Amino acid sequence: MEHPEEYRNRAEEFVCELTEEFYMNRAGLKDSLNASEIYMNYRDLFEKETVLQLLQPVRSLRHNDSPETSGRMLYLAAFAADGFMDMAVRELTDRIVSSETQAVVEFENRKLPFRMTPVVLANEPNARAREQLEARRQEVLSELNPLREERIACLHSLAGDLGYGNYRSLYADIKGLDLDVLADKMEQFLDETDSVYTHNMEKAASTYLDMPLSDVSRHDISYLFRGVEFDRMFPGTNLVTSLEATVSGMGLGRESYPNIHIDIEIREGKSPRAFCAPLRVPDKIMLVLMPHGGYDDYHTILHEAGHAWHYGSVLPEQEFEYKYLGDNSVTESYAFLFQYLAINENWLSEYTQGPRLEEYMRFSTLQKLYMLRRYAAKLLYELKLHAGDDISVMPGEYSSLLSDALKISHPGVYYLDDLDDGFYAAQYLRAWIFEGQLRDFLVQRFGERAYAYPETGEVLKELFSRGQEFTVEELAGRLGLASLDLDPLYEEIDNNLRI
Ligand SMILES: [Zn+2]
């Protein structure tokens, strides 16, 4: 391996080039995606020998107390190992992505790109039509599953190449995740919120779908949570101005952030999924969004703004590892902190209009609870999948874990589609938990309208300035809070969804 400093510099170039490439493609500024080519140009970063060399001190450092170097080394090792895995399955990933992009389904006598089907499902009020479209979708998914099985088998055996017993222990180690503790907490969460979830979900199924919960399937959920009823509360014309006023209130106004660029232009080829692209931290941060109407746009712009203000506030002299790598639960927590202003009663009465506020609070908290339970079940499933057990039982495991947690039938065919690499589910869960803690911390200090004061902005700026130097557990410790404490989440659910 080259000199560590050289490795870092090259890694930074690689990350920036790749981010730029994804940004150009997803923003609709370029119709091709040359990610593979970029990986090839930087393949020296992910050679097995290099990765093993970077991984080697990680385990011993865990038991050693020199947090300054160990954090950076761990993040760099995780980057290298992750890149090694991605690199090795790159062709399979490309084949899956292009098959998906090219797949077309027949629906109501027209041909529909497979990729468009989720959007159609979310806007299709007729349950029978949703069911028919879902049947076509599942044909495509079944056809793709052999490729996905090959890819997962390959990832599992690569974990062995890096000296780990299985994929699960590889990721637990490089991401510094205590997956067993998290799984215990989430299992308890599933138990404790079971009745409040079921009760509210039964009501929601009847109100928004006119169906008993027992008849609801996975493909009905996006229509259930589409929330057409609340569209008038969230007019598109106020979307950007409400964000601007919110950050201004915290003393984080856009005039102090010329490095953050907001792009809400409607463009052909622009991805319907919003994203934040930190092209250069902190100098050039893009927030890209294609509004489609309703409460979801507000959640989305606030979420992505949380990422943007985080990356845009990082100290320029901060180390590469802390600017671009590290614990992604941190940036997701800040994104959630901004996003869930759209469930804050005070914020809603200031920034939205109409008489349905109370109903909406219940609705959107239920959606959040649904997501938490969904990710809890996904984590429990992934722990089984990635422990290296017999893959043939996994469709059944997926189906029973997700269906039990959500009280909605989940077909096994999704068992490798409904999955992110590298236990990202665990990162989201830790982010939801820490967001609850951080929000509670701010409310204790500055009150329910914490978002309206520059003092809050000062606390956030200080946190943001370090990038992802600390994990969420470390951040909780620095704020004097317990590690992964779910109480604020329980409290929020109890307040908003009380039976
Ligand atoms: Zn995010």
Side-chain angles (χ1 to χ4, degrees), residues 194-488:
D194 196 87
S195 62
V196 71
Y197 171 80
T198 308
H199 174 81
N200 280 278
M201 209 58 186
E202 278 167 349
K203 279 211 302 202
S206 132
T207 311
Y208 304 113
L209 294 177
D210 197 18
M211 279 163 91
L213 184 58
S214 53
D215 285 357
V216 178
S217 293
R218 188 186 189 277
H219 60 263
D220 298 311
I221 297 167
S222 52
Y223 185 73
L224 194 166
F225 287 123
R226 167 61 184 83
V228 184
E229 294 78 5
F230 309 110
D231 281 1
R232 288 174 64 186
M233 265 178 84
F234 298 93
T237 42
N238 297 351
L239 185 64
V240 176
T241 47
S242 63
L243 168 65
E244 285 172 339
T246 303
V247 285
S248 266
M250 290 186 282
L252 309 172
R254 285 188 71 188
E255 65 287 349
S256 338
Y257 284 87
N259 52 339
I260 297 175
H261 307 270
I262 300 179
D263 167 10
I264 56 157
E265 209 177 87
I266 309 281
R267 256 196 314 276
E268 203 177 322
K270 194 172 176 180
S271 161
R273 246 180 103 171
F275 63 97
C276 166
L279 296 180
R280 278 278 160 196
V281 178
D283 299 330
K284 197 168 185 199
I285 313 294
M286 314 302 291
L287 193 170
V288 184
L289 173 79
M290 190 141 89
H292 51 260
Y295 80 94
D296 190 54
D297 282 346
Y298 279 64
H299 278 251
T300 305
I301 200 170
L302 287 164
H303 181 98
E304 300 308 328
H307 287 305
W309 260 257
H310 168 221
Y311 288 117
S313 304
V314 177
L315 294 169
E317 62 271 24
Q318 188 63 308
E319 304 287 354
F320 153 72
E321 290 89 332
Y322 304 145
K323 280 178 169 172
Y324 294 96
L325 312 177
D327 179 7
N328 276 339
S329 298
V330 174
T331 194
E332 294 302 345
S333 300
Y334 301 147
F336 284 146
L337 184 74
F338 276 41
Q339 174 181 344
Y340 292 131
L341 286 173
I343 310 189
N344 179 312
E345 198 172 355
N346 294 287
W347 189 91
L348 286 165
S349 43
E350 282 165 57
Y351 289 102
T352 67
Q353 40 203 265
R356 305 188 76 143
L357 197 149
E358 215 168 296
E359 184 192 352
Y360 165 78
M361 292 270 297
R362 185 176 276 268
F363 170 88
S364 52
T365 310
L366 177 61
Q367 190 202 27
K368 183 179 177 183
L369 176 56
Y370 161 83
M371 290 300 281
L372 277 158
R373 293 180 62 89
R374 173 171 143 73
Y375 274 78
K378 270 161 70 91
L379 174 66
L380 299 177
Y381 163 64
E382 286 179 28
L383 286 172
K384 292 195 173 181
L385 174 71
H386 294 313
D389 297 353
D390 178 11
I391 188 117
S392 69
V393 304
M394 292 306 155
E397 291 285 355
Y398 170 84
S399 173
S400 70
L401 280 163
L402 274 286
S403 307
D404 286 354
L406 300 170
K407 322 293 173 195
I408 288 168
S409 108
H410 277 61
V413 70
Y414 280 96
Y415 84 116
L416 295 176
D417 172 88
D418 190 3
L419 184 69
D420 295 307
D421 287 345
F423 282 101
Y424 212 80
Q427 308 234 250
Y428 272 131
L429 287 167
R430 287 160 71 249
W432 270 307
I433 297 168
F434 181 62
E435 185 272 338
Q437 294 184 274
L438 178 57
R439 179 159 35 94
D440 190 53
F441 172 87
L442 294 170
V443 167
Q444 300 287 339
R445 278 195 162 190
F446 308 119
E448 293 291 342
R449 291 185 70 254
Y451 60 84
Y453 305 112
E455 289 80 357
T456 301
E458 284 305 315
V459 173
L460 293 181
K461 243 198 310 205
E462 172 61 29
L463 287 169
F464 292 173
S465 72
R466 308 297 284 261
Q468 297 198 128
E469 180 170 352
F470 304 106
T471 65
V472 287
E473 290 86 351
E474 287 166 346
L475 286 174
R478 292 171 73 90
L479 295 172
L481 308 170
S483 177
L484 297 183
D485 175 10
L486 276 79
D487 283 351

